Structures are given as structure tokens and as C-alpha cells.
């Protein structure tokens, strides 16, 4: 079974600074996908970024980028130029490749606070 | 237009009652899901439907019964509600069941059982 671990229950960052959220996962498969979701106080789950395990290049989406270390089974999220609107709970998630039937396995989440 | 919409947003009810949560997606996706987020914010899959057929039932008590009348709708009915059912329930959809198809979530339904 897959497990996802986020070891940082809470993180904080100053506005305009950079912060990195950690995530490790455990899987015996070679074909899988990794995601970061954001959950602001509004409760909505918003996809931030995704990474295909077969791609060596780290995914980037504007101010969000990942550091994907496949051998170490690590998938950290870097937020550059942090904004107040980035304050939220962030979840790392793993999904098997192929016909996984949509089963996302989530980490425990990291609460990110952005200070003005 | 909201892509995945759930109703109601909030649901407060007493133990023993039966309640339903409705979900609709207008994305044309084939696959829909129910996830449960507990009081510690942990998210876990409950059910997955592909083209109206149940494909995942993640050891959920049979008091929970999903129903998919068509590909765009997936409702969740809960019988004999218990205190431990209090949680936020998320509906989600994806274009396909394959792993590279990201999930789009609704805004969640906060269920409180008193």
C-alpha cells in the first residue's frame, strides 16, 4: 500500500519570501503520479501542481515548483515570492499509474501561514 | 460556472437520521468520487464510480450508499447517522480513471451529527 508523509504540520513564511514544504512517499511501483493540492479556509481543494514519475524534469507552475527526487521518494513543493493568498493547508498526494481508479492517497497536510 | 458542485454546503442533523448529499459535475468527466475529510483534516477515498459503475468501495460501512443516476451525478445517502460520521465530504471527478487524470473537487459538505 502507498503511504504519503508530510513531516511539517505547520510552516510560516514572510510575504515575498520562499518556502519549501516537504513530502515523502512510499510505493513499490514505478508508474505513478504525485500532486500538491491547496485547501484555503474556503475548504475547496485546488490542484497546485502535478508530477509524472517517469519525467525527470521537475514540474513548475508560475511561482510553484517541485523538487522530485525519485530515488529518495521525495516530492517537495517550493513556493516563491509568497503571497498572502498562499496561506492554506497543503496536501501532498500519490496516485498509481494505469487504471488506478482514482485512488489518491493523501498526506496529513501542512498548514502554511504567510506573514505580511 | 462551478465545475463540481455539491449540495448542501452544510448539514446538521441528529443521530439516527437519514440524509443525502448531491453532487453534479459539468466537466464531461467519466469518473466520480466521494472522499471523507475527518476532524484532523485527513482525506480518504470512500467510493469511486466510472461510467456509473462502482469501482472502488473502500471499506465504508453499508450505511453509506452512493448512487450514480448518470455520469454527471453521484449522490451519497447515509442511513442511521452516527456521531462519528461528522466530517467534511468531498465529491470529485476526473476525465478518466487513469492515474494522470487529475481530480477536480467540489467545495465539500460539512456534516455535523448531534
Amino acid at each position: 500500500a502507498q503511504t504519503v508523509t508530510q513531516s511539517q504540520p505547520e510552516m510560516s513564511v514572510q510575504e515575498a519570501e520562499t518556502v519549501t514544504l516537504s513530502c515523502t512517499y512510499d510505493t513499490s511501483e514505478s508508474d505513478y503520479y504525485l500532486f500538491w493540492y491547496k485547501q484555503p479556509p474556503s475548504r475547496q481543494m485546488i490542484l497546485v501542481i502535478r508530477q509524472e514519475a517517469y519525467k525527470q524534469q521537475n514540474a513548475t507552475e508560475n511561482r510553484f515548483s517541485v523538487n522530485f527526487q525519485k530515488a529518495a521518494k521525495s516530492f517537495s513543493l517550493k513556493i516563491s515570492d509568497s503571497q498572502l493568498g498562499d496561506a492554506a493547508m497543503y496536501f501532498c498526494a500519490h496516485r498509481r499509474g494505469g487504471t488506478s481508479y482514482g485512488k489518491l492517497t493523501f498526506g496529513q497536510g501542512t498548514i502554511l501561514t504567510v506573514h505580511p | 460556472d462551478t465545475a463540481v458542485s455539491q449540495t448542501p454546503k452544510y448539514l446538521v442533523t441528529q443521530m439516527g437520521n437519514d440524509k443525502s448529499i448531491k453532487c453534479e459535475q459539468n466537466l464531461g468527466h467519466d469518473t466520480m468520487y466521494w472522499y471523507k475529510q475527518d476532524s484532523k483534516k485527513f482525506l480518504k477515498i470512500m467510493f469511486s464510480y466510472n461510467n456509473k459503475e462502482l469501482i472502488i468501495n473502500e471499506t465504508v460501512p453499508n450505511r453509506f450508499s452512493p448512487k450514480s443516476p448518470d455520469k454527471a451525478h453521484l449522490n451519497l445517502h447515509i442511513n442511521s447517522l452516527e456521531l462519528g460520521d461528522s466530517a467534511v465530504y468531498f465529491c470529485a471527478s476526473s476525465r478518466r480513471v487513469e492515474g494522470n487524470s487529475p481530480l477536480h473537487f467540489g467545495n465539500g459538505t460539512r456534516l455535523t451529527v448531534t
Side-chain angles (χ1 to χ4, degrees), chain B residues 5 7 13 27 33-34 43 47 56-57 60 67 73 81 102:
Chain B
S5 60
T7 54
T13 188
L27 298 166
Y33 316 84
W34 280 107
L43 278 150
F47 301 103
I56 288 182
N57 180 344
V60 177
K67 281 190 171 52
H73 295 84
L81 278 155

Side-chain angles (χ1 to χ4, degrees), chain B residues 22-63:
Chain B
K22 295 187 176 182
C23 179
E24 176 181 5
Q25 54 94 4
N26 62 5
L27 298 166
H29 288 171
D30 287 342
T31 314
M32 295 186 73
Y33 316 84
W34 280 107
Y35 277 79
K36 178 180 180 180
Q37 186 174 40
D38 64 22
S39 58
K40 295 183 179 179
K41 302 287 191 180
F42 186 67
L43 278 150
K44 188 175 180 188
I45 191 168
M46 299 173 68
F47 301 103
S48 177
Y49 270 74
N50 187 54
N51 286 321
K52 301 192 301 174
E53 290 191 19
L54 179 67
I55 52 175
I56 288 182
N57 180 344
E58 197 76 359
T59 59
V60 177
N62 57 16
R63 297 183 295 104

Side-chain angles (χ1 to χ4, degrees), chain B residues 10 15-16 43 46 55 61 68 71 73 97-98 110-111:
Chain B
Y10 299 94
M15 282 174 53
L43 278 150
M46 299 173 68
I55 52 175
S68 182
K71 281 197 326 183
H73 295 84
V97 296
E98 285 80 9
R110 181 178 293 281
L111 171 65

